Amino acid sequence: LGFARIIATPVNYAFNVSKVSVIFTIIGFSFIFGLIYINTVRKIGFSRPVELVRAEKAAEKPPRANWLAGLFGLLTLGTGYAISLFIEEPLAVLSWFLLASVLVIIGTFITLISGSVLLCKILQKNINYYYKTNHFISVSSMTYRMRRNGAGLAAICILLTMTLVTLSTTATMYSSIDFYVDTRFPCDINASANKYGYDPNLNSMGNALTDSIVENAKAEGADIGDLGSYTCYSVKGNYVNGEFKSVSFYNTDIDNGVQYVFMDINDYNNSFNCNEELGNGEAIVASGDKNDRTDVIKLGDLSLNVVKRIDDKLDALDPFAFFAAPDTLVYVIVNNNDEIAKEHLSKYESDGNKSMIRCIWKASFNTGMNDEDQIRLSNEISEFLDGSREDNDLMLTNCYNPIQMRHELIDSLGGLMFLGTLLSIIFLISSFVIIYYKQISEGYEDQSRFSIMQKVGMTKKEIRKSIESQMLTVFLIPIAFACIHLIVVMPLISKILMLSGLYNPMRLQITAGICALICGLIYTLVYKATSNSYFKIVSA
């Protein structure tokens, strides 16, 4: 039901229990418990009865802090952190993400197993901290138990980290749907077409396509408003030693890559109701925040003097700019777009038989129609553009309607959100089960020790303080490490969202913070519940 609500789908199904599934579940768990029983019988068979009886009274050797293992754990953890922090290319993230995750998991286990013992040793050497009633007993108890505790704490930490990362990523994507659609598709109809190479008839082709879809919309009863249409040329490449090298549209370097879009001044004035004028060799430029604010744009033998910057209009020029690495996109407005494309841009043909420049047509307008009519009109325009590909030698045509796009995103991202939430719940329950049974088992182990302490004069209030000191120390380690892991992995998550087109760092940070607070609150409640259970056992 929750999944159906998330993807905005009517509920229409019947629930039934599969007998085959029940039988297989019983067989599967019977097999697992059978193996556990056989292993237990094996251990008892190879043990002496006297050893089993005296096992609890046997002296336990204090664990030693393994500095070498601790340093290896820190090195492994640091390597995973370095991959997350210093990988810049979004496409490279996909190949490095798994390695970084494995290194962080291994580093966390080794660091907490070795580091927890070392932490207890350090606390014991701190006279002002260790020789207090509530700390003395708790630290002494943890010192002997931390080698086992370290693995449990690491498991809890990894599960909490998986919860935070999964929930933060999916929640950010799902909550960004409205922002994504409203920003990327500002009008009811958003049509585009492009193809490779220079086309001397680009303007006439663009005007013909615009007239055709507007006439089609009027015939369907649309009230045309906010009409905007223009054609432009685009070239994408890398800067190598200060020289522009054109490459494939899918093969640019995130650090040195740049995409130039050349637009005619007349199209700019018509689309934005401006009255700008430019001379030969002059340009008006709009780009992202991190681009160099140079006064001259150079592409090979092309040199343009920048007379004005309109960076605040970049999103209006291209609604996709915010989501697709905006710092690599530069709009260049000139007074002789066709001449520049013919004389300069058409020289970039470094990808075999494909020209490295694209000629692009875009048109958008509002219709004043209801949702159903907008979707129907958008589908008709899409069919018309598809039929125009062969006549105009077009490579790709699109017509997007924000209502359609919102429904599609809810369907796809709603599924991810549901899956992410389900996995997060599973991870949380798993970590809480580990915590609970860990505390129950340790409570019964410590029951006889606290019983002796009560007989020699230790009050239940002092027992409570000692338990709280121990629990607080143990419980803070996993949640603290999980939050650190989340902060370090945020750059990787941002780049993954950039690849999906849902690049919104502020929303990701807010969502991650909320998820961390919610998990922290639940974790605190579990801490209180388990500490109370532990106290009841040891004080009985």
XYZ file of all heavy atoms in Angstrom, residues 77-142:
517
model
N 40.821 2.677 5.670
C 39.718 3.629 5.790
C 40.050 4.943 5.104
O 39.214 5.526 4.392
C 39.422 3.865 7.280
C 38.153 4.649 7.634
C 36.916 3.911 7.150
C 38.080 4.863 9.142
N 41.283 5.413 5.288
C 41.699 6.668 4.649
C 41.717 6.564 3.132
O 41.386 7.529 2.429
N 42.089 5.394 2.595
C 42.085 5.206 1.146
C 40.661 5.294 0.600
O 40.419 5.919 -0.440
C 42.698 3.841 0.787
O 44.015 3.748 1.336
C 42.774 3.678 -0.725
N 39.727 4.663 1.305
C 38.325 4.765 0.894
C 37.830 6.196 0.946
O 37.115 6.657 0.046
N 38.199 6.932 1.999
C 37.827 8.344 2.103
C 38.426 9.160 0.952
O 37.761 10.035 0.377
C 38.312 8.914 3.441
C 37.460 8.557 4.631
C 36.321 7.757 4.499
C 37.784 9.003 5.903
C 35.545 7.446 5.592
C 37.009 8.691 7.009
C 35.893 7.918 6.850
O 35.122 7.610 7.938
N 39.699 8.882 0.637
C 40.381 9.641 -0.416
C 39.690 9.451 -1.764
O 39.536 10.399 -2.541
C 41.843 9.209 -0.505
N 39.268 8.226 -2.057
C 38.550 7.971 -3.313
C 37.278 8.802 -3.372
O 36.947 9.408 -4.394
C 38.235 6.472 -3.455
C 39.531 5.673 -3.630
C 37.293 6.220 -4.635
C 39.318 4.174 -3.643
N 36.561 8.855 -2.261
C 35.306 9.615 -2.224
C 35.531 11.112 -2.387
O 34.768 11.792 -3.062
C 34.582 9.343 -0.903
O 33.432 10.150 -0.771
N 36.593 11.625 -1.778
C 36.812 13.071 -1.756
C 37.508 13.608 -2.999
O 37.306 14.769 -3.366
C 37.632 13.446 -0.518
C 36.952 13.201 0.838
C 37.931 13.458 1.971
C 35.712 14.085 0.986
N 38.317 12.771 -3.656
C 39.163 13.296 -4.731
C 38.797 12.812 -6.125
O 39.399 13.245 -7.092
C 40.635 12.964 -4.445
C 41.150 13.599 -3.179
C 41.454 12.831 -2.069
C 41.308 14.970 -3.098
C 41.919 13.406 -0.898
C 41.767 15.562 -1.934
C 42.077 14.786 -0.836
N 37.827 11.907 -6.272
C 37.354 11.529 -7.602
C 36.453 12.636 -8.125
O 35.423 12.952 -7.527
C 36.593 10.189 -7.559
C 37.549 9.066 -7.178
C 35.946 9.890 -8.899
C 38.644 8.812 -8.187
N 36.822 13.253 -9.225
C 36.103 14.414 -9.738
C 35.119 14.077 -10.859
O 34.055 14.666 -10.949
C 37.108 15.464 -10.260
C 37.990 16.061 -9.188
C 37.212 16.939 -8.229
O 36.099 17.363 -8.595
O 37.710 17.183 -7.117
N 35.467 13.137 -11.726
C 34.620 12.859 -12.876
C 33.414 12.022 -12.460
O 33.570 10.949 -11.872
C 35.401 12.114 -13.955
C 36.555 12.915 -14.533
C 37.224 12.180 -15.682
O 36.529 11.373 -16.332
O 38.411 12.411 -15.917
N 32.178 12.487 -12.754
C 30.984 11.730 -12.379
C 30.960 10.321 -12.946
O 30.552 9.377 -12.285
C 29.843 12.586 -12.955
C 30.396 13.967 -13.005
C 31.840 13.801 -13.331
N 31.406 10.138 -14.201
C 31.399 8.807 -14.797
C 32.373 7.870 -14.085
O 32.144 6.665 -14.004
C 31.744 8.892 -16.285
C 30.686 9.529 -17.189
C 31.199 9.650 -18.614
C 29.399 8.727 -17.157
N 33.478 8.422 -13.567
C 34.456 7.595 -12.858
C 33.914 7.104 -11.519
O 34.376 6.089 -10.991
C 35.748 8.378 -12.640
N 32.930 7.819 -10.965
C 32.359 7.438 -9.674
C 31.758 6.031 -9.738
O 31.867 5.244 -8.800
C 31.281 8.463 -9.252
C 30.494 7.954 -8.058
C 31.934 9.787 -8.909
N 31.120 5.709 -10.874
C 30.453 4.417 -10.999
C 31.433 3.258 -10.860
O 31.104 2.216 -10.310
C 29.727 4.334 -12.348
C 28.620 5.368 -12.564
C 28.027 5.216 -13.950
C 27.540 5.221 -11.506
N 32.644 3.429 -11.376
C 33.638 2.359 -11.310
C 34.400 2.349 -9.987
O 34.928 1.307 -9.586
C 34.629 2.487 -12.477
O 35.258 3.751 -12.460
N 34.455 3.467 -9.290
C 35.220 3.557 -8.041
C 34.349 3.407 -6.795
O 34.871 3.199 -5.690
C 35.954 4.892 -7.960
C 37.158 4.984 -8.856
C 37.210 5.542 -10.095
C 38.471 4.477 -8.593
N 38.466 5.441 -10.626
C 39.275 4.790 -9.724
C 39.051 3.814 -7.532
C 40.608 4.448 -9.800
C 40.383 3.472 -7.598
C 41.147 3.789 -8.722
N 33.035 3.528 -6.937
C 32.149 3.541 -5.775
C 32.228 2.225 -4.998
O 32.320 2.213 -3.768
C 30.708 3.810 -6.208
C 29.751 3.955 -5.063
C 29.647 5.152 -4.384
C 28.967 2.890 -4.653
C 28.770 5.302 -3.322
C 28.095 3.018 -3.589
C 27.990 4.231 -2.920
N 32.188 1.093 -5.724
C 32.222 -0.205 -5.061
C 33.532 -0.402 -4.299
O 33.528 -0.868 -3.152
C 32.027 -1.321 -6.086
C 32.052 -2.751 -5.522
C 30.950 -2.931 -4.496
C 31.910 -3.771 -6.644
N 34.657 -0.043 -4.921
C 35.953 -0.184 -4.261
C 36.011 0.668 -3.000
O 36.484 0.214 -1.948
C 37.077 0.216 -5.220
C 38.495 0.204 -4.638
C 38.858 -1.188 -4.147
C 39.512 0.699 -5.661
N 35.537 1.920 -3.094
C 35.540 2.799 -1.924
C 34.683 2.215 -0.803
O 35.065 2.253 0.375
C 35.030 4.185 -2.318
N 33.527 1.640 -1.151
C 32.641 1.060 -0.141
C 33.312 -0.121 0.560
O 33.257 -0.238 1.795
C 31.334 0.606 -0.800
O 30.682 1.687 -1.424
N 33.943 -1.001 -0.224
C 34.606 -2.173 0.356
C 35.746 -1.744 1.286
O 35.911 -2.285 2.391
C 35.139 -3.097 -0.759
C 36.008 -4.201 -0.172
C 33.981 -3.701 -1.552
N 36.539 -0.754 0.859
C 37.648 -0.277 1.682
C 37.153 0.331 2.989
O 37.743 0.110 4.061
C 38.479 0.748 0.906
C 39.319 0.200 -0.253
C 39.963 1.348 -1.025
C 40.391 -0.753 0.262
N 36.063 1.090 2.921
C 35.510 1.710 4.133
C 34.980 0.638 5.082
O 35.174 0.722 6.303
C 34.401 2.714 3.759
C 33.629 3.140 5.006
C 35.005 3.939 3.089
N 34.309 -0.388 4.537
C 33.783 -1.462 5.382
C 34.927 -2.211 6.077
O 34.901 -2.430 7.300
C 32.933 -2.436 4.540
C 31.640 -1.744 4.091
C 32.598 -3.694 5.345
C 30.820 -2.563 3.124
N 35.947 -2.612 5.304
C 37.091 -3.320 5.886
C 37.810 -2.437 6.908
O 38.150 -2.883 8.010
C 38.069 -3.756 4.774
C 37.408 -4.795 3.855
C 39.350 -4.333 5.370
C 38.242 -5.166 2.642
N 38.046 -1.170 6.526
C 38.731 -0.251 7.436
C 37.959 -0.019 8.718
O 38.552 0.080 9.807
N 36.618 0.043 8.616
C 35.796 0.251 9.811
C 35.913 -0.927 10.765
O 36.080 -0.742 11.981
C 34.326 0.452 9.405
O 34.217 1.597 8.553
C 33.454 0.666 10.631
N 35.829 -2.146 10.228
C 35.932 -3.331 11.082
C 37.291 -3.405 11.775
O 37.380 -3.594 12.995
C 35.691 -4.601 10.247
C 34.254 -5.019 10.199
C 33.430 -4.594 9.188
C 33.729 -5.837 11.185
C 32.096 -4.980 9.136
C 32.403 -6.231 11.161
C 31.577 -5.794 10.126
N 38.363 -3.252 11.011
C 39.699 -3.375 11.600
C 39.954 -2.252 12.601
O 40.499 -2.475 13.691
C 40.771 -3.358 10.495
C 40.591 -4.566 9.568
C 42.169 -3.384 11.105
C 41.545 -4.576 8.387
N 39.552 -1.029 12.248
C 39.786 0.119 13.123
C 39.034 -0.008 14.439
O 39.587 0.250 15.517
C 39.392 1.420 12.415
O 40.142 1.558 11.204
C 39.660 2.622 13.304
N 37.773 -0.426 14.384
C 36.983 -0.507 15.610
C 37.400 -1.700 16.467
O 37.375 -1.615 17.699
C 35.494 -0.611 15.262
C 34.852 0.680 14.749
C 33.360 0.503 14.521
C 35.079 1.831 15.728
N 37.780 -2.803 15.829
C 38.230 -3.963 16.613
C 39.525 -3.637 17.349
O 39.673 -3.914 18.547
C 38.408 -5.189 15.710
C 37.046 -5.676 15.202
C 39.115 -6.314 16.463
C 37.132 -6.782 14.178
N 40.481 -3.040 16.628
C 41.768 -2.695 17.248
C 41.679 -1.403 18.050
O 42.236 -1.298 19.148
C 42.853 -2.560 16.173
O 42.978 -3.746 15.427
N 40.973 -0.433 17.500
C 40.909 0.874 18.143
C 40.106 0.877 19.424
O 40.395 1.660 20.347
N 39.074 0.014 19.521
C 38.265 -0.015 20.740
C 39.073 -0.502 21.931
O 38.939 0.010 23.049
C 37.042 -0.906 20.529
O 37.444 -2.207 20.121
N 39.942 -1.504 21.694
C 40.823 -1.979 22.764
C 41.796 -0.867 23.167
O 42.039 -0.625 24.358
C 41.604 -3.228 22.308
C 42.587 -3.665 23.385
C 40.638 -4.358 21.967
N 42.344 -0.197 22.166
C 43.273 0.904 22.443
C 42.584 2.022 23.196
O 43.168 2.636 24.099
C 43.846 1.427 21.117
C 44.844 2.583 21.214
C 46.071 2.161 22.020
C 45.256 3.045 19.821
N 41.301 2.300 22.864
C 40.550 3.345 23.555
C 40.402 3.016 25.041
O 40.591 3.898 25.905
C 39.165 3.493 22.905
C 38.197 4.457 23.608
C 38.738 5.883 23.564
C 36.816 4.394 22.953
N 40.099 1.777 25.337
C 39.959 1.384 26.743
C 41.287 1.521 27.494
O 41.320 1.941 28.658
C 39.439 -0.049 26.828
S 37.729 -0.244 26.293
N 42.375 1.153 26.820
C 43.698 1.298 27.441
C 44.003 2.766 27.752
O 44.558 3.100 28.803
C 44.772 0.731 26.502
C 44.653 -0.762 26.232
C 45.020 -1.591 27.445
C 45.039 -3.076 27.100
N 45.373 -3.902 28.271
N 43.641 3.639 26.814
C 43.887 5.080 27.014
C 43.043 5.599 28.170
O 43.502 6.392 29.001
C 43.579 5.844 25.709
C 44.593 5.462 24.619
C 43.603 7.345 25.957
C 44.280 6.049 23.261
N 41.756 5.145 28.246
C 40.878 5.588 29.330
C 41.385 5.105 30.683
O 41.268 5.812 31.690
C 39.451 5.079 29.079
C 38.714 5.679 27.877
C 37.339 5.037 27.721
C 38.572 7.188 28.024
N 41.969 3.904 30.701
C 42.501 3.384 31.960
C 43.717 4.184 32.441
O 43.942 4.311 33.646
C 42.896 1.910 31.799
C 41.696 0.968 31.781
C 42.119 -0.480 31.656
O 43.032 -0.822 30.911
N 41.441 -1.362 32.387
N 44.465 4.729 31.493
C 45.638 5.520 31.872
C 45.270 6.939 32.300
O 46.106 7.645 32.879
C 46.626 5.565 30.703
C 47.278 4.207 30.410
C 48.257 4.305 29.251
C 48.928 2.968 28.980
N 49.885 3.035 27.850
N 44.047 7.354 32.001
C 43.582 8.682 32.405
C 43.051 8.588 33.839
O 41.921 8.156 34.085
C 42.474 9.157 31.444
C 42.084 10.606 31.696
O 42.305 11.149 32.776
N 41.504 11.232 30.696
N 43.880 8.980 34.786
C 43.551 8.807 36.207
C 42.277 9.563 36.576
O 41.408 9.045 37.293
C 44.727 9.284 37.082
C 45.972 8.438 36.791
C 44.364 9.203 38.557
C 47.206 8.898 37.532
N 42.145 10.794 36.098
C 40.983 11.612 36.461
C 39.668 11.012 35.940
O 38.600 11.239 36.522
C 41.147 13.024 35.916
C 42.311 13.752 36.549
O 42.636 13.524 37.722
N 42.965 14.622 35.784
N 39.734 10.258 34.854
C 38.529 9.657 34.287
C 38.291 8.254 34.840
O 37.173 7.905 35.230
C 38.656 9.597 32.760
C 37.470 8.945 32.061
C 36.369 9.700 31.674
C 37.464 7.572 31.793
C 35.277 9.104 31.048
C 36.378 6.967 31.160
C 35.290 7.745 30.790
O 34.219 7.150 30.166
N 39.344 7.451 34.895
C 39.194 6.021 35.188
C 38.828 5.762 36.646
O 37.950 4.931 36.921
C 40.494 5.298 34.822
C 40.460 3.808 35.018
C 39.485 3.028 34.393
C 41.405 3.168 35.831
C 39.462 1.646 34.569
C 41.391 1.789 36.008
C 40.418 1.036 35.374
O 40.393 -0.324 35.534
N 39.457 6.476 37.571
C 39.239 6.187 38.983
C 38.039 6.960 39.540
O 38.147 7.761 40.465
C 40.498 6.478 39.788
C 41.598 5.482 39.501
C 42.654 5.818 38.658
C 41.556 4.202 40.022
C 43.647 4.891 38.360
C 42.556 3.273 39.742
C 43.596 3.629 38.904
O 44.574 2.702 38.617
N 36.910 6.703 38.916
C 35.620 7.177 39.394
C 34.674 5.990 39.399
O 34.779 5.096 38.556
C 35.074 8.295 38.501
C 35.846 9.597 38.606
C 35.204 10.694 37.773
C 35.968 12.005 37.921
N 35.362 13.091 37.109
N 33.722 6.016 40.317
C 32.866 4.844 40.507
C 32.142 4.429 39.229
O 32.121 3.254 38.857
C 31.828 5.127 41.610
O 32.500 5.569 42.781
C 31.019 3.870 41.921
N 31.559 5.402 38.548
C 30.750 5.062 37.373
C 31.601 4.703 36.167
O 31.126 4.049 35.249
C 29.807 6.221 37.018
C 30.534 7.529 36.823
O 31.584 7.745 37.432
N 29.989 8.413 35.995
N 32.906 5.113 36.161
C 33.761 4.806 35.023
C 34.632 3.574 35.266
O 34.937 2.837 34.326
C 34.672 6.000 34.707
C 33.922 7.194 34.236
N 34.443 8.480 34.299
C 32.690 7.322 33.696
C 33.561 9.333 33.827
N 32.485 8.649 33.465
N 35.029 3.360 36.515
C 35.982 2.298 36.818
C 35.438 0.925 36.401
O 36.106 0.147 35.719
C 36.303 2.309 38.325
C 37.287 1.267 38.738
C 38.648 1.481 38.586
C 36.855 0.059 39.272
C 39.566 0.509 38.959
C 37.770 -0.913 39.647
C 39.123 -0.685 39.494
N 34.229 0.635 36.808
C 33.644 -0.684 36.538
C 33.351 -0.839 35.047
O 33.628 -1.892 34.454
C 32.347 -0.862 37.348
C 32.666 -0.776 38.836
C 31.663 -2.173 36.998
C 31.456 -0.779 39.720
N 32.794 0.210 34.424
C 32.405 0.114 33.013
C 33.617 -0.065 32.109
O 33.620 -0.907 31.204
C 31.628 1.360 32.597
O 32.416 2.527 32.720
N 34.682 0.728 32.349
C 35.870 0.631 31.505
C 36.560 -0.707 31.703
O 37.043 -1.338 30.749
C 36.842 1.794 31.790
C 38.146 1.611 31.019
C 36.194 3.120 31.410
N 36.635 -1.190 32.969
C 37.255 -2.490 33.237
C 36.506 -3.598 32.504
O 37.103 -4.507 31.927
C 37.256 -2.766 34.744
O 38.012 -1.786 35.420
N 35.179 -3.522 32.535
C 34.374 -4.535 31.859
C 34.559 -4.472 30.347
O 34.688 -5.503 29.673
C 32.894 -4.344 32.217
O 32.092 -5.260 31.518
N 34.589 -3.249 29.810
C 34.728 -3.096 28.355
C 36.093 -3.552 27.873
O 36.230 -4.066 26.758
C 34.505 -1.629 27.959
C 33.053 -1.189 27.994
S 32.819 0.431 27.221
C 33.823 1.464 28.257
